[in-house]
């Protein structure tokens, strides 16, 4: 039976169930691998900027105050960051622990949201005790992103943005993948950097 949608809307094509069905077909019909892979890429892929935000200080804060305090800090961060992301035209795809994964139409919009988040954190931190201040690092990428149900996302630029935001960036830093930097105007000040992680040399750009 064909999928139906309420109010005359077309059914979503990028669902988890449909992806699993297509992957199963590849296993069952390996001779159609290329055809099915093309269908997956066509219906699930969006060319977007991706922003990955990571909060800092989980171990330190938890050891000092316990997990409930850190959960409260995560909640405070989301209350501050999510409206900023939405106001810049972004979409929160998923929130996992102290991370946010977001999509934007352009890198410029993702950078604008990133800067505003950092500015708001600086303002809020003036009012918070030193051991409960909110710090974040952000990685921004750009490219073809596989999006599922508007609730999950995959792709090389997602992986690179996560690596930059979680493992490379320091507190208050915004780092861009090479693909993201290429989408910005030359007048935007950035510093090219490189780092070696797990045997992989990663080139990126730090936003001034």
């Amino acid at each position: 039976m064909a999928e139906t949608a309420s109010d005359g809307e077309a059914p979503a094509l990028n669902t988890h169930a449909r992806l699993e069905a297509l992957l199963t077909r590849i296993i069952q019909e390996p001779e159609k691998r290329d055809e099915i892979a093309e269908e997956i890429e066509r219906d699930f892929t969006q060319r977007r900027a991706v922003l990955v935000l990571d909060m800092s200080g989980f171990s330190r804060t938890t050891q000092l105050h316990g997990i409930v305090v850190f959960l409260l800090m995560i909640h405070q961060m989301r209350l501050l960051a999510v409206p900023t992301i939405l106001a810049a035209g972004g979409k929160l795809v998923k929130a996992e622990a102290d991370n946010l994964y977001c999509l934007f139409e352009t890198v410029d919009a993702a950078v604008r949201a990133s800067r505003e988040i950092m500015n708001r954190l600086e303002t809020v931190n003036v009012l918070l005790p030193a051991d409960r201040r909110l710090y974040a690092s952000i990685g921004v990428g750009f490219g073809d992103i596989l999006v599922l149900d508007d609730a999950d996302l995959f792709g090389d630029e997602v992986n690179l943005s996560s690596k930059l935001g979680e493992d490379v960036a320091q507190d208050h830093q915004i780092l861009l993948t090479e693909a993201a930097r290429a989408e910005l105007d030359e007048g935007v000040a950035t510093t090219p950097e490189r780092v070696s992680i797990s045997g992989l040399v990663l080139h990126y750009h730090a936003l001034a």
Side-chain angles (χ1 to χ4, degrees):
M1 181 179 294
E3 290 181 284
T4 59
S6 60
D7 301 323
E9 295 180 358
L13 297 177
N14 63 333
T15 65
H16 275 87
R18 181 162 179 258
L19 178 61
E20 289 179 0
L22 289 170
L23 294 175
T24 298
R25 279 188 60 201
I26 290 178
I27 295 172
Q28 296 173 340
E29 306 172 69
E31 72 279 3
K32 295 183 179 179
R33 173 186 295 270
D34 292 344
E35 175 187 335
I36 298 170
E38 183 178 325
E39 183 176 350
I40 291 173
E41 291 180 4
R42 181 188 69 236
D43 292 342
F44 289 79
T45 300
Q46 301 176 18
R47 194 158 185 80
R48 296 285 186 270
V50 56
L51 179 159
V52 180
L53 179 149
D54 179 60
M55 274 187 69
S56 306
F58 172 78
S59 297
R60 180 178 65 253
T61 302
T62 303
Q63 288 175 355
L64 287 173
H65 303 293
I67 188 63
V68 173
V69 168
F70 192 71
L71 291 175
L72 175 60
M73 293 170 68
I74 291 175
H75 186 63
Q76 290 175 302
M77 171 70 77
R78 291 180 183 176
L79 289 176
L80 179 150
V82 174
T84 304
I85 290 161
L86 298 178
K91 175 188 293 185
L92 174 63
V93 178
K94 66 177 179 178
E96 289 186 345
D98 59 345
N99 291 354
L100 300 179
Y101 295 81
C102 313
L103 291 179
F104 293 81
E105 291 287 338
T106 66
V107 174
D108 182 69
V111 166
R112 191 163 63 248
S114 299
R115 283 176 161 158
E116 181 62 21
I117 289 170
M118 296 305 187
N119 289 338
R120 292 192 175 198
L121 288 178
E122 284 189 339
T123 300
V124 168
N125 281 341
V126 172
L127 306 174
L128 294 174
D131 59 351
R132 299 195 188 187
R133 288 174 182 162
L134 307 175
Y135 297 102
S137 53
I138 292 175
V140 176
F142 180 81
D144 291 332
I145 311 298
L146 192 150
V147 183
L148 293 181
D149 290 331
D150 287 333
D152 211 348
L153 66 174
F154 303 92
D156 188 49
E157 286 294 304
V158 176
N159 297 337
L160 291 175
S161 301
S162 297
K163 185 70 69 176
L164 291 178
E166 297 178 34
D167 300 331
V168 180
Q170 303 299 311
D171 291 347
H172 207 70
Q173 268 196 316
I174 303 167
L175 304 183
L176 312 176
T177 67
E178 290 193 293
R181 179 63 187 90
E183 290 293 308
L184 286 179
D185 187 273
E186 288 296 324
V188 178
T190 60
T191 303
E193 304 282 356
R194 56 182 285 178
V195 66
S196 179
I197 300 178
S198 302
L200 172 69
V201 177
L202 178 60
H203 296 268
Y204 63 94
H205 298 260
L207 197 65

